Amino acid sequence: MILLKNPRTRRRRLGVAAAAAGLVAALFTAQPAIATPDPGDAPAAQKEVSEKTQAEVREAVADGEIPGQDEIVHSANIQHLTNIPKDLLPGTNSDLAFQGKYAYAGNYDGFRIFDISNPKAPKTVAQVLCPGSQNDISVSGNLLFLSTDSSRSDSSCNSTTQPATEKSSWEGMKVFDISDKTNPKYVAAVETACGSHTHTLVPERRNVYIYVSSYSPNATYPDCRPPHDGISVIKVPRSAPEKAAVVGFPVLFPGEGPDGGGNPGSPTNPGVSRTTGCHDITVLPSKDLAAGACMGDGILFSIADPEHPKVIDQVQDNVNFAFWHSATFNQKANKVVFTDELGGGGAATCNAEIGPNRGADGIYDIVGKGDSRKLVFRSYYKIPRHQAATENCVAHNGSIIPVKGKDLMVQAWYQGGVSVWDFTDSARPKEIAYFERGPLTTDAIRTGGSWSAYYYNGYIYSNDMAKGFDVLKINDRRTDPARWVRLSELNVQTQPDYFGWPSGR
């Protein structure tokens, strides 16, 4: 581990398809390395588009149908307070977590810690070089957790890439001590089957449980062979994080098929991902509930016993959902918003050709009680602005905005920007605010845009894959009550009970 320190609203009709002074190095290697694959959403290479498409994009910019290259546009009720460009970590920015006056920003090359006590002028506290996609990030107390979903030569932060077919390769979870925010210390690493694409915390007083989501096994990978029909559960003792270890692999999709009872995908269901694990899980500890976005399936399950989660309901959408990516509960826990990451995050899917129901959110009501609860589909939501054929755009990570009696959400859409929307009426969702930049390029698809957009203590924070860390403020009577809700810690995939704080076990 290397610590790097240094102090208009528009209607669209577009329808076309490191070295630095003062480096402090501290290298820790945990347990023996074991090979697992790198199936994840690796940053896509720049994709050229046809000359015809390039001309259409340039014409759309000239006509004002889409913003100009890198031009910032937003609704009247959103302010763009600041942008902090990437610095010593040049990789793709990924997820965010929050604690007190700090924001923690993942990056494929490591992570960055910001002091956000003044949201208009965040200050960098630390930058830690520790490559390993995606570096999905979360925090709890004095511990920080980082997912590694690329096959590495070992578990250290100075490892190199290595084929997943090599038995000596490693990927999984890394644990840091952040009691000193200016000098995080790498204290443990835990190898998990098929790595850790994302992870979710289920915190308790003495322990932190981690649900590790990973997928895409292969018979040629020594320690990630099919079936891979569940999740890894890690137990981390707070008083001795170096003893972190896998305590189970609960099967979520039991069945007779080669991958258990999950969605078989294509060719049975053309265009739908075969379920070989989960992409992301969101837990609501105050309700002992979890929702899993698992490639070809959405699931609802009980976490009353965190080491042995139990599936309550399983749903599929073989017409419009290609890849179940993430899940968000509303405050009352009677709805779940699932996202479909059509095209894997690297394609232009926010256009008339793809339409409003694909690459969108699916809103499900939770009906019934106890183990008889069911997920019932109500509607889709997708941003109402078409994007250029050179802009990767699809539903991605977001969080609820805590307003009693309302279901409001802020969400990232890659180069589609940030959308604030209302799903209080499950059947009639509507956008109430937005922020976005124009395309990174007009002659190719270059991956960029907001990876995560989350509401935390009165502000919206967005981690733009290419442009850096953005801070937004929404000024709207519908969201204003949320300003009075204050959290001491937020990992969005561990949803708090906003109006019964503190939540959890």
Side-chain angles (χ1 to χ4, degrees):
M1 183 267 289
I2 299 178
L3 182 69
L4 306 177
K5 287 186 175 180
N6 75 335
R8 52 197 208 167
T9 304
R10 296 176 178 178
R11 182 175 180 84
R12 309 286 167 72
R13 65 180 186 272
L14 185 68
V16 296
L23 290 186
V24 180
L27 305 178
F28 296 81
T29 300
Q31 55 196 53
I34 301 175
T36 46
D38 177 22
D41 302 334
Q46 183 163 301
K47 303 173 190 174
E48 298 299 322
V49 297
S50 68
E51 290 185 6
K52 178 182 177 183
T53 298
Q54 293 178 37
E56 289 174 336
V57 173
R58 289 193 293 269
E59 181 180 358
V61 170
D63 290 346
E65 296 176 13
I66 62 172
Q69 188 170 337
D70 288 336
E71 179 188 0
I72 290 177
V73 295
H74 55 81
S75 54
N77 55 355
I78 275 189
Q79 295 175 262
H80 183 217
L81 299 183
T82 192
N83 169 264
I84 309 298
K86 289 193 285 189
D87 188 12
L88 301 178
L89 301 174
T92 298
N93 280 335
S94 58
D95 212 3
L96 295 168
F98 304 90
Q99 191 180 67
K101 66 177 185 177
Y102 298 102
Y104 302 82
N107 178 287
Y108 275 53
D109 286 330
F111 63 93
R112 189 172 182 179
I113 302 177
F114 293 99
D115 181 337
I116 55 171
S117 53
N118 179 1
K120 295 180 180 179
K123 296 179 181 179
T124 298
V125 175
Q127 298 187 70
V128 175
L129 178 63
C130 195
S133 63
Q134 308 184 125
N135 278 337
D136 192 49
I137 193 167
S138 59
V139 293
S140 183
N142 288 327
L143 299 177
L144 180 147
F145 305 92
L146 209 61
S147 287
T148 299
D149 193 35
S150 56
S151 191
R152 313 293 299 182
S153 56
D154 57 57
S155 62
S156 71
C157 283
N158 63 344
S159 64
T160 57
T161 57
Q162 184 166 288
T165 52
E166 293 287 337
K167 179 70 176 177
S168 62
S169 296
W170 182 93
E171 56 185 308
M173 288 299 308
K174 293 168 181 167
V175 184
F176 290 78
D177 183 325
I178 53 169
S179 44
D180 179 356
K181 304 295 186 293
T182 66
N183 187 28
K185 291 181 168 52
Y186 184 10
V187 296
V190 181
E191 182 270 336
T192 55
C194 299
S196 176
H197 192 67
T198 66
H199 69 269
T200 304
L201 303 187
V202 185
E204 296 186 323
R205 180 184 299 178
R206 294 183 179 180
N207 305 296
V208 179
Y209 287 97
I210 307 174
Y211 290 167
V212 177
S213 295
S214 56
Y215 54 92
S216 292
N218 189 300
T220 66
Y221 300 148
D223 291 278
C224 181
R225 292 181 174 135
H228 183 72
D229 48 10
I231 57 174
S232 297
V233 179
I234 296 173
K235 183 178 181 180
V236 185
R238 292 187 185 276
S239 60
E242 69 279 1
K243 295 181 180 179
V246 174
V247 294
F249 187 85
V251 173
L252 302 178
F253 300 97
E256 300 299 324
D259 300 301
N263 198 319
S266 298
T268 303
N269 297 314
V272 177
S273 296
R274 176 169 137 249
T275 298
T276 60
C278 288
H279 179 277
D280 209 349
I281 290 169
T282 291
V283 297
L284 193 55
S286 62
K287 306 290 187 183
D288 287 332
L289 271 182
C294 302
M295 305 183 72
D297 293 88
I299 59 174
L300 183 71
F301 55 103
S302 167
I303 57 169
D305 180 351
E307 290 191 27
H308 303 94
K310 180 175 68 173
V311 175
I312 297 171
D313 195 24
Q314 176 182 351
V315 292
Q316 298 176 355
D317 179 347
N318 295 318
V319 176
N320 288 313
F321 259 48
F323 188 94
W324 295 66
H325 174 273
S326 56
T328 303
F329 287 100
N330 69 334
Q331 173 60 26
K332 291 183 178 179
N334 59 7
K335 300 176 188 177
V336 182
V337 175
F338 288 104
T339 67
D340 172 24
E341 194 183 41
L342 175 67
T349 71
C350 296
N351 51 48
E353 181 182 33
I354 298 298
N357 297 338
R358 300 171 61 210
D361 296 319
I363 303 166
Y364 286 74
D365 284 352
I366 302 173
V367 300
K369 296 182 179 181
D371 290 351
S372 297
R373 283 172 286 191
K374 298 291 182 182
L375 292 163
V376 178
F377 173 77
R378 294 302 187 202
S379 67
Y380 298 105
Y381 170 76
K382 193 171 184 179
I383 57 173
R385 295 166 308 286
H386 290 154
Q387 304 295 306
T390 58
E391 292 180 282
N392 62 302
C393 174
V394 75
H396 215 240
N397 294 348
S399 72
I400 64 170
I401 298 176
V403 175
K404 280 187 177 181
K406 297 289 185 181
D407 295 324
L408 307 176
M409 186 170 175
V410 58
Q411 187 176 358
W413 290 80
Y414 289 127
Q415 285 196 67
V418 175
S419 177
V420 180
W421 58 290
D422 184 334
F423 63 105
T424 306
D425 183 343
S426 302
R428 296 174 180 82
K430 59 184 179 181
E431 184 173 77
I432 62 175
Y434 76 91
F435 165 90
E436 67 165 297
R437 290 180 170 90
L440 286 168
T441 66
T442 58
D443 57 1
I445 295 180
R446 179 183 160 205
T447 303
S450 179
W451 177 290
S452 297
Y454 298 146
Y455 186 92
Y456 177 69
N457 291 355
Y459 297 88
I460 294 170
Y461 297 91
S462 168
N463 212 20
D464 188 293
M465 299 165 70
K467 294 295 183 180
F469 184 68
D470 287 302
V471 185
L472 311 174
K473 187 174 183 180
I474 182 167
N475 298 290
D476 191 288
R477 59 178 177 76
R478 292 163 289 191
T479 61
D480 283 349
R483 296 180 183 179
W484 305 106
V485 178
R486 287 290 183 267
L487 303 181
S488 58
E489 189 170 279
L490 177 63
N491 301 293
V492 167
Q493 288 73 35
T494 306
Q495 279 191 229
D497 181 348
Y498 284 97
F499 304 112
W501 190 262
S503 67
R505 321 184 86 81

